[in-house]
Amino acid sequence: SPAGADRLEIDATTALGTDREAFLAVWAEERARQFREEVPRFREVDLAVRLRRVLARLRGSDQPPEDGAWDDAAAAARSTTAEIEGALAVYADAFAAAIPPDPAVGDLLERLAPRYRLGILSNWPLAAAIDTYVVAAGWAPHLAAVVVSERVGAIKPHPAIFRAAER
């Protein structure tokens, strides 16, 4: 989302101490790499891994060749857990703030929840963003489950995410 990207960009250029344009360019490259590697296997991309790789590159690590694999342990050594967790929290909050919920959805969930088991099944690389949105929208009391691909490790249409939703 544009607002989410702005909040993440602000965090990247201030708290993470990186150049905005360089951050966005490397972010886009690593996003494309993750999608090439994970989506054909029906696996969700990992935003924390992507952020660690981006910071590693911005802080001097060479990226692997296009067909090579990242040394994620070495990449992680170029950032701190606090940096990664902080940036992901900013992303989750910005995601929730950027997409105003339709009031009709809350009303509909309230009417349906007494009769049906309701849930959300989402392909999204950061479950915390979906959780934050659900709480901010006021939907949490009406939902029996929030199943997000990041938690499951598989994306739709892989059967594993649907099995997780059945539980």
Side-chain angles (χ1 to χ4, degrees):
S1 68
D6 290 346
R7 296 263 323 260
L8 187 54
E9 290 169 23
I10 289 167
D11 191 60
T13 58
T14 56
L16 298 177
T18 64
D19 173 74
R20 178 183 181 273
E21 295 305 318
F23 178 87
L24 292 176
V26 175
W27 181 267
E29 291 170 7
E30 290 303 327
R31 179 184 184 275
R33 175 188 294 273
Q34 280 190 313
F35 274 75
R36 275 193 319 273
E37 293 172 352
E38 304 300 339
V39 172
R41 296 178 182 104
F42 297 103
R43 295 189 311 214
E44 185 58 84
V45 299
D46 186 321
L47 288 186
V49 168
R50 184 185 315 160
L51 187 54
R52 282 192 289 276
R53 292 173 178 180
V54 167
L55 291 177
R57 286 181 56 190
L58 292 172
R59 293 172 178 171
S61 289
D62 292 328
Q63 70 178 0
E66 190 167 315
D67 61 345
W70 264 99
D71 177 347
D72 284 316
R78 300 267 187 166
S79 59
T80 68
T81 301
E83 286 177 310
I84 302 304
E85 289 175 355
L88 294 178
V90 167
Y91 178 97
D93 291 343
F95 177 88
I99 307 169
D102 183 332
V105 173
D107 294 341
L108 180 62
L109 293 174
E110 186 174 1
R111 285 195 318 274
L112 293 175
R115 295 181 13 217
Y116 301 99
R117 185 174 182 264
L118 304 176
I120 291 175
L121 175 59
S122 174
N123 276 356
W124 201 254
L126 187 63
I130 302 300
D131 295 340
T132 300
Y133 188 83
V134 165
V135 170
W139 299 347
H142 311 300
L143 299 174
V146 177
V147 178
V148 183
S149 55
E150 181 203 20
R151 285 191 194 106
V152 177
I155 59 173
K156 296 178 268 180
H158 194 280
I161 196 165
F162 294 103
R163 282 193 298 271
E166 289 175 337
R167 293 183 201 128

